[in-house]
Amino acid sequence: MIVGIPKEIMPGEARVAATPETVKKFILDGMTVLVEAGAGVKSHYYDEQYSEAGAEMVDDVSRLFERADLILKVKEPLFNENVGKHEVEMMHPGQYLITFIHPASPVNHNMVKQLAARGVTGLTLDSIPRISRAQNMDALTSMSTCAGYKGIIMAADDLLVFMPQMFTAVGMLKPANVLVIGAGVAGLQALATAKRLGAVTYAMDIRPAANEQAKSLGARIIETGVPEELAVGQGGYAQKLPEEWLAKEREVLAGVLKDMDIVFCSALIPGKVAPILITDKMVESMKNGAVIVDISIDQGGNCEVTPAGKKEIIHNVMVQGIKNIPGLIPTSSTWMFSQNVYNLVKYLSKDGKIELNMNDEIVRSILVTHQGEIVHEGTKEAMGI
């Protein structure tokens, strides 16, 4: 099997789908690996390292797509300005694609239809099930870990006071208060990072199990009072609350926000728009110089006034809506991502070729397009099919 690793073309994307380390693993498994020249430069993995690992470097990305049986990417297929073609146009029937397709997102519906029409088998990393045997393939969890860590570092960088308690010759300065809303993978990493930096940490999640995990990291829990049967959905994820309970959650938040220096927002509902938990009026009530980092912005954001894709001072509060935070630490995030992808390919392969077991839970969850059809249930629902 020939594996193709093209350079990512989304503006600002510094990650790449394979490292020299995973290239070597693929080759030991009997595969041929093609890497587009310069694909890893922005994440500090260089062409000579890929060559030394056994990869064939390819200057012409069209040729790479033409020759490869399997394409590995970080982001969904996009229009490539350099060659004047969409990446899907360069693909061929029977080819496999593994990446974050985000197929249910309306902006990607046309691209998904094109993948199906092209006869490409698309497998999306954002649908890896949260089960024990899929943990080492779960790129979404890996990238959430990166977002939780880097998001707090970004907040600390914009904060105008010290994070830890400081004892100086002129007096003592209190530690910063950090509130994490949504104690999932990203939220827990945010709490751990804020704690390492010396802040006093608080957590708020409607799921009791998530609060227990946050508490184990030393966070003080802000109780919402939401009944567990309303809060917890399939797979332990949060589910959409009735408006009356959302209003009560906002009421609880309004009482604590004024004491916070940093608020990290990561409350998400799978496949749905993120709940608005912080209103414009609540931002106005916060400390001058406080920071909100809203990593749920890709799904609309938890803060009503979060600026998508940038940061802005609103009511004397720095509100960050930066997207693709894992891409801001590309060496580490690429290393994690590439290991996840290698493990998935290894799992799906037999005798050096991909063989899909349609009865397998992992395969059923991630399969988006196959044999000319869109087969992903969440995508079909979003498209009204």
Side-chain angles (χ1 to χ4, degrees):
M1 184 164 67
I2 299 175
V3 179
I5 314 292
K7 186 191 299 182
E8 294 298 318
I9 56 175
M10 180 175 278
E13 181 55 73
R15 291 172 292 176
V16 63
T19 62
E21 181 182 345
T22 57
V23 163
K24 191 176 287 186
K25 288 182 178 182
F26 283 126
I27 291 169
L28 286 172
D29 289 341
M31 302 176 195
T32 298
V33 183
L34 312 178
V35 177
E36 184 181 358
V41 169
K42 291 180 181 177
S43 51
H44 294 287
Y45 297 104
Y46 299 99
D47 289 359
E48 55 270 27
Q49 294 174 296
Y50 287 110
S51 293
E52 286 169 11
E56 179 185 335
M57 305 309 296
V58 180
D59 291 315
D60 183 354
V61 70
S62 299
R63 181 73 177 134
L64 181 146
F65 273 92
E66 181 186 323
R67 291 176 58 194
D69 303 302
L70 166 65
I71 295 291
L72 302 180
K73 280 177 51 60
V74 178
K75 304 300 289 186
E76 67 271 21
L78 299 165
F79 186 83
N80 190 321
E81 301 282 354
N82 293 327
V83 296
K85 285 182 181 179
H86 198 284
E87 286 179 311
V88 175
E89 290 181 70
M90 293 187 276
M91 301 185 77
H92 54 79
Q95 196 169 42
Y96 292 89
L97 168 69
I98 295 177
T99 186
F100 281 119
I101 298 175
H102 300 297
S105 176
V107 297
N108 291 329
H109 286 179
N110 190 50
M111 177 268 293
V112 171
K113 289 174 184 175
Q114 289 174 355
L115 280 174
R118 204 85 179 170
V120 175
T121 296
L123 301 135
T124 188
L125 295 166
D126 48 297
S127 291
I128 296 279
R130 292 274 171 84
I131 56 177
S132 57
R133 64 192 174 91
Q135 282 183 338
N136 69 353
M137 315 167 201
D138 190 353
L140 196 60
T141 290
S142 292
M143 296 306 99
S144 294
T145 298
C146 295
Y149 166 80
K150 185 64 174 179
I152 288 295
I153 300 298
M154 288 159 52
D157 194 41
D158 277 333
L159 192 64
L160 305 180
V161 298
F162 288 116
M163 285 279 275
Q165 184 171 348
M166 299 289 282
F167 295 94
T168 77
V170 290
M172 184 268 287
L173 294 98
K174 292 181 179 179
N177 291 327
V178 175
L179 170 63
V180 171
I181 304 171
V185 175
L188 292 171
Q189 185 58 232
L191 286 169
T193 303
K195 191 78 175 173
R196 291 185 202 111
L197 292 173
V200 176
T201 55
Y202 298 80
M204 181 173 172
D205 198 297
I206 59 176
R207 299 164 297 167
N211 283 330
E212 282 302 313
Q213 288 179 299
K215 194 173 180 180
S216 73
L217 292 173
R220 303 175 187 183
I221 306 302
I222 307 295
E223 297 289 351
T224 63
V226 177
E228 185 173 357
E229 61 270 19
L230 287 177
V232 184
Q234 189 176 1
Y237 292 104
Q239 61 183 1
K240 187 176 181 180
L241 292 178
E243 188 54 44
E244 62 187 278
W245 282 102
L246 262 180
K248 288 179 182 177
E249 196 176 354
R250 291 189 199 107
E251 193 178 324
V252 171
L253 260 175
V256 299
L257 281 179
K258 63 183 184 299
D259 298 320
M260 298 299 153
D261 297 288
I262 291 173
V263 180
F264 182 91
C265 302
S266 60
L268 293 172
I269 301 160
K272 300 190 184 296
V273 174
I276 297 292
L277 300 174
I278 301 174
T279 63
D280 178 67
K281 189 175 180 181
M282 289 159 73
V283 175
E284 194 173 4
S285 75
M286 291 177 68
K287 292 180 182 180
N288 291 334
V291 180
I292 295 173
V293 175
D294 193 348
I295 74 161
S296 64
I297 190 61
D298 281 328
Q299 285 177 233
N302 293 142
C303 176
E304 184 179 31
V305 296
T306 301
K310 59 182 181 177
K311 57 185 185 179
E312 194 176 308
I313 295 174
I314 301 169
H315 303 310
N316 295 322
V317 173
M318 173 61 78
V319 186
Q320 298 191 17
I322 305 299
K323 297 189 175 189
N324 188 20
I325 294 174
L328 299 178
I329 46 170
T331 303
S332 290
S333 57
T334 285
W335 185 84
M336 294 177 77
F337 181 89
S338 65
Q339 298 291 338
N340 292 137
V341 170
Y342 170 75
N343 290 331
L344 177 59
V345 174
K346 180 87 169 174
Y347 179 81
L348 298 175
S349 300
K350 185 178 180 182
D351 298 326
K353 294 185 182 297
I354 288 182
E355 289 189 12
L356 299 181
N357 176 5
M358 298 303 177
N359 295 317
D360 183 82
E361 181 183 358
I362 296 170
V363 173
R364 288 200 314 270
S365 297
I366 66 176
L367 194 60
V368 178
T369 58
H370 187 55
Q371 296 179 343
E373 294 184 4
I374 297 167
V375 297
H376 190 263
E377 289 302 324
T379 304
K380 291 199 291 185
E381 183 184 334
M383 289 182 176
I385 299 174

